């Protein structure tokens, strides 16, 4: 099939490359000429594991091309995927749909014959209906343009695998033709047994925001438990483990810590509450305000614990920050909890040295006042306190004994509950975490007995 993918950010670039991988002829479209030039040469302009290979192969095969010309897109194919950004509005918590509307306004008057415009961006429920009315006004005589919604569930860091081996496909369609067309697009995946849910547009739109709301709620639930653990001496990591064995609850997304960020979860729950208010059902999802509040509170709690560990204030303190991205295996710093904490600490007078394996350029662009350093040792040299804020695997591999040599105070706050506390304590560090008791300091760093007692005291109660 001949498909266009309009908007080539984290979502669209992956979708375009993966659709070409499935065997379709694909044209990617974006207004950003620099991005289009890079993609056209087979280069991914951001960090996403595995995408480089799929994109490179697709471009080399000739099945994937890129353009900035919307005319070309209108002529190219009959199925047009809309993958543009729907960020939070500046003046409210609702979604900013200007990019989606701009695509419809530019594309639809240029279409001829029977076409399907398929939205993949996350939008408020009712958007397909609203856009269908707009399409009816904009379409040329003789053109038959239909809108469908096909929400995307990919996670950054696993985007290629989530697209080529999704857990489910959901489409919201208005006619049997649209249903048949989308089944044809995804035929190679359907043959592998991927569950396919074909429903109306409103349900499809809601599936996406409901899924992200559920995930956000799960994270805030365990972070709320972490706050209770801190007040009682209980250990949230053991609590989560014990809860997770109940298959009705499950272990995933019960990782307590600094909370969620990124371009999706925070703005999606806010947009959902705004839309629910418009629909008169605001009280049904009012709990999402609390989910949001718990989440932002983790950032403040982290700053408070860090201030305490730094001796009561940050003025004149050297703080090493490990992690800038909103999660590992991504270079995305949008609404990053790590960067929010780094900014707050810097604002209180700390000299912040920051390291991140992939997110330094993006972080520097939004927060140029920090000192960005290329390796962990440099970041921690002479630091009064080390903050572990994004759980990159690289940081779990740090040898705390080696790092102790450059960090005389040996104090670390593990805001992601990801480090081996026993190992750090046995290397002479004072380690604190969110929702876990502080492991007892080592009585004697030299003796084997001392090591054992530190290991025991750091273990879950
Ligand atoms: C999220 C959803 O997981 C995807 O299914 C969805 O398609 C995507 O949003 C989207 O709407 O486009 P993503 O933003 O890539 O994906 O990130 P997640 O893996 O969901 O992580 C979100 C945040 O939650 C991260 O900051 C992560 O560190 C945090 N998190 C995650 C926790 O704090 N604890 C956990 O247990 C899990």
């Amino acid at each position: 099939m001949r498909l266009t993918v309009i908007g080539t950010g984290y979502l669209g670039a992956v979708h375009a490359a993966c659709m070409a991988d499935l065997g379709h002829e694909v044209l990617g479209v974006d207004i950003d000429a620099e991005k289009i030039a890079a993609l056209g040469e087979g280069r991914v302009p951001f960090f996403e594991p595995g995408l480089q290979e799929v994109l490179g192969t697709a471009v080399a095969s000739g099945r994937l091309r890129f353009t900035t010309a919307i005319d070309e897109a209108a002529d190219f194919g009959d199925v047009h995927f809309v993958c543009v950004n729907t960020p939070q509005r500046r003046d409210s918590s609702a979604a900013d749909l200007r990019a989606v509307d701009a695509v419809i306004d530019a594309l639809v008057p240029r279409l001829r014959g029977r076409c399907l415009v398929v939205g993949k961006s996350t939008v408020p429920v009712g958007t397909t209906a609203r856009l269908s009315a707009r399409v009816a006004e904009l379409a040329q005589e003789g053109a038959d343009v239909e809108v469908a919604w096909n929400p995307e569930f990919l996670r950054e860091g696993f985007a290629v695998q989530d697209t080529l081996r999704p857990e489910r496909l959901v489409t919201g369609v208005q006619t049997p033709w649209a249903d048949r067309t989308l089944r044809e697009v995804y035929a190679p995946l359907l043959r592998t047994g991927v569950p396919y849910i074909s429903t109306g547009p409103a349900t499809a739109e809601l599936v996406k925001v409901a899924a992200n709301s559920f995930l956000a709620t799960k994270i805030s639930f365990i972070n709320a438990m972490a706050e209770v653990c801190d007040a009682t001496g209980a250990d949230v990591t053991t609590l989560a483990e014990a809860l997770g064995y109940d298959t009705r609850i499950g272990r995933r997304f019960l990782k307590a810590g600094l909370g969620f960020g990124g371009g999706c979860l925070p703005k999606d729950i806010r947009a959902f509450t705004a839309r629910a208010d418009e629909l008169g059902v605001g009280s049904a999802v009012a709990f999402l305000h609390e989910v949001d509040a718990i989440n932002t509170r983790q950032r403040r709690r982290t700053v408070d614990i860090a201030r305490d560990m730094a001796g009561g204030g940050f003025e004149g303190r050297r703080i090493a920050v490990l992690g800038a991205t909103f999660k590992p295996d991504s270079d995305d710093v949008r609404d990053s909890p790590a960067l929010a904490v780094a900014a707050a600490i810097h604002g209180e007078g700390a000299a912040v040295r920051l390291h991140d394996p992939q997110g330094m350029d993006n972080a520097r662009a939004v927060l140029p006042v920090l000192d960005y350093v290329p390796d962990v040792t440099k970041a921690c040299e002479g630091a009064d306190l080390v903050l572990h804020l994004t759980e990159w695997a690289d940081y779990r591999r740090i040898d705390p004994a080696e790092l102790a040599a450059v960090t005389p105070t040996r104090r670390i706050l593990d805001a992601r509950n990801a480090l081996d506390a026993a190992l750090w304590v046995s290397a002479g560090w004072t380690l604190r975490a969110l929702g876990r008791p502080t492991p007892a300091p080592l009585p004697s760093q030299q003796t084997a007995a001392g090591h054992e007692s530190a290991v025991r005291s750091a273990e879950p109660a």
Side-chain angles (χ1 to χ4, degrees):
M1 295 173 83
R2 288 164 72 85
L3 319 173
T4 79
V5 176
I6 304 170
T8 57
Y10 288 103
L11 163 60
V14 174
H15 190 64
C18 290
M19 290 304 102
D21 192 74
L22 294 185
H24 299 301
E25 300 281 326
V26 182
L27 182 66
V29 188
D30 204 292
I31 50 175
D32 183 337
E34 222 173 286
K35 201 188 284 177
I36 286 298
L39 289 166
E41 289 165 14
R43 275 188 295 117
V44 181
F46 50 87
F47 179 75
E48 179 59 48
L51 181 56
Q52 187 56 59
E53 293 74 20
V54 181
L55 180 87
T57 309
V59 169
S61 74
R63 281 199 304 278
L64 177 59
R65 288 191 302 108
F66 291 91
T67 183
T68 53
I70 196 81
D71 285 319
E72 212 182 313
D75 290 342
F76 181 82
D78 304 326
V79 180
H80 304 276
F81 284 98
V82 180
C83 297
V84 293
N85 243 355
T86 52
Q88 185 177 334
R89 285 172 64 118
R90 281 185 190 280
D91 57 351
S92 78
S93 58
D96 181 346
L97 297 172
R98 281 178 302 177
V100 171
D101 291 354
V103 170
I104 297 296
D105 289 358
L107 177 71
V108 171
R110 293 174 162 86
L111 296 175
R112 284 188 295 266
R114 193 162 201 189
C115 299
L116 189 61
V117 175
V118 188
K120 287 194 84 67
S121 311
T122 303
V123 290
V125 57
T127 298
T128 306
R130 183 177 68 79
L131 294 179
S132 296
R134 201 170 173 120
V135 162
E137 281 171 25
L138 293 169
Q140 292 182 35
E141 279 255 330
D144 183 0
V145 184
E146 190 175 330
V147 184
W149 223 263
N150 167 215
E152 181 55 60
F153 304 103
L154 65 79
R155 298 158 297 168
E156 287 179 28
F158 299 90
V160 171
Q161 128 185 3
D162 286 350
T163 307
L164 292 177
R165 288 186 296 282
E167 290 184 335
R168 81 295 210 187
L169 287 162
V170 177
T171 57
V173 292
Q174 306 187 65
T175 63
W177 173 75
D179 184 44
R180 278 198 307 278
T181 304
L182 282 167
R183 284 179 192 272
E184 205 181 324
V185 169
Y186 291 119
L189 301 181
L190 297 184
R191 280 196 291 274
T192 68
V194 172
Y196 188 87
I197 295 168
S198 176
T199 180
T203 307
E205 291 159 346
L206 262 178
V207 170
K208 174 60 193 263
V209 284
N212 277 2
S213 297
F214 192 86
L215 294 172
T217 303
K218 217 173 165 191
I219 298 169
S220 277
F221 172 82
I222 201 64
N223 283 334
M225 294 305 108
E227 291 185 42
V228 178
C229 285
D230 275 340
T232 55
D235 185 323
V236 75
T237 58
T238 309
L239 177 73
E241 186 190 353
L243 290 176
Y245 281 117
D246 186 327
T247 48
R248 293 168 303 173
I249 298 174
R251 182 66 187 84
R252 294 171 76 187
F253 273 65
L254 279 186
K255 189 107 203 241
L258 187 43
F260 57 82
C264 303
L265 262 45
K267 64 103 179 162
D268 286 354
I269 60 170
R270 291 174 199 146
F272 193 17
T273 56
R275 182 63 181 140
D277 281 341
E278 281 173 10
L279 293 166
V281 287
S283 53
V285 294
F287 69 94
L288 290 175
H289 292 295
E290 197 54 37
V291 167
D292 200 7
I294 293 167
N295 191 53
T296 47
R297 197 156 64 229
Q298 304 320 308
R299 301 177 186 195
R300 281 203 301 279
R301 270 173 23 93
T302 300
V303 173
D304 290 345
I305 298 171
R307 192 188 302 104
D308 189 45
M309 292 182 84
F314 291 114
E315 200 62 56
R317 294 281 186 249
R318 296 172 66 134
I319 310 290
V321 168
L322 304 184
T325 53
F326 83 102
K327 67 175 200 179
D329 299 315
S330 166
D331 63 357
D332 194 347
V333 299
R334 285 177 294 172
D335 204 343
S336 165
L339 216 50
V341 167
I345 285 172
H346 176 267
E348 289 189 35
V352 177
R353 275 198 178 167
L354 187 144
H355 172 267
D356 188 280
Q358 293 292 339
M360 304 256 274
D361 290 344
N362 286 342
R364 197 185 288 107
V366 293
L367 200 58
V369 288
L370 306 186
D371 188 7
Y372 292 89
V373 292
D375 63 77
V376 171
T377 311
K378 269 234 142 21
C380 296
E381 242 165 32
D384 296 299
L385 172 66
V386 179
L387 303 181
H388 175 239
L389 303 184
T390 310
E391 54 172 314
W392 286 94
D394 300 27
Y395 298 148
R396 283 198 294 280
R397 288 194 287 264
I398 293 171
D399 178 349
E402 248 174 55
L403 203 64
V406 299
T407 317
T409 52
R410 300 181 188 178
R411 281 194 289 255
I412 183 161
L413 169 54
D414 179 12
R416 288 292 179 185
N417 279 312
L419 301 177
D420 180 344
L423 190 70
W424 284 76
V425 171
S426 68
W429 288 74
T430 301
L431 181 141
R432 284 181 66 179
L434 275 71
R436 301 183 77 178
T438 304
L442 206 59
S444 156
Q445 283 174 40
Q446 268 75 44
T447 65
H451 175 78
E452 261 177 38
S453 83
V455 170
R456 269 202 305 276
S457 68
E459 268 166 10

